[in-house]
Amino acid sequence: LDNTIKFINKGTNKPRQIIAIFPKAELINIKLSKYKNLMIFISNHYGQVNQRIHGFNLSKTNFTLQLDDDCFISQEAIYELRS
């Protein structure tokens, strides 16, 4: 997750908000607190679909992009999607 967030933040359009949803029992990596645009939430439900729904409900922006923690997109991807 750390590498994915680092890569996204190096892009041409740094997102205002990155939401990470963790299942209740999973340990959260403390070093992620270095990202000012990262919000970490705990889900009471397991499974990718439930975690994604939870994240979409928490989003406060007009544009939301869902990625798994092992996804890498081009650094221009957010700019291109917004154009």
Side-chain angles (χ1 to χ4, degrees), residues 16-17 56 58-65 82:
R16 282 181 250 151
Q17 183 182 58
F56 283 122
L58 293 167
S59 178
K60 304 285 187 222
T61 60
N62 293 330
F63 175 78
T64 303
L65 175 66
R82 293 186 68 203

Side-chain angles (χ1 to χ4, degrees), residues 19 21 41 50-60 64:
I19 297 172
I21 308 292
F41 296 94
N50 289 324
Q51 291 173 8
R52 289 175 183 162
I53 291 169
H54 191 81
F56 283 122
N57 288 333
L58 293 167
S59 178
K60 304 285 187 222
T64 303

Side-chain angles (χ1 to χ4, degrees), residues 1-2 21 23-24 30 39-40 42 45 54 58 72 77 79:
L1 182 60
D2 186 46
I21 308 292
K24 189 167 45 173
I30 300 302
M39 300 171 62
I40 297 173
I42 304 299
H45 305 286
H54 191 81
L58 293 167
F72 291 95
Y79 172 79

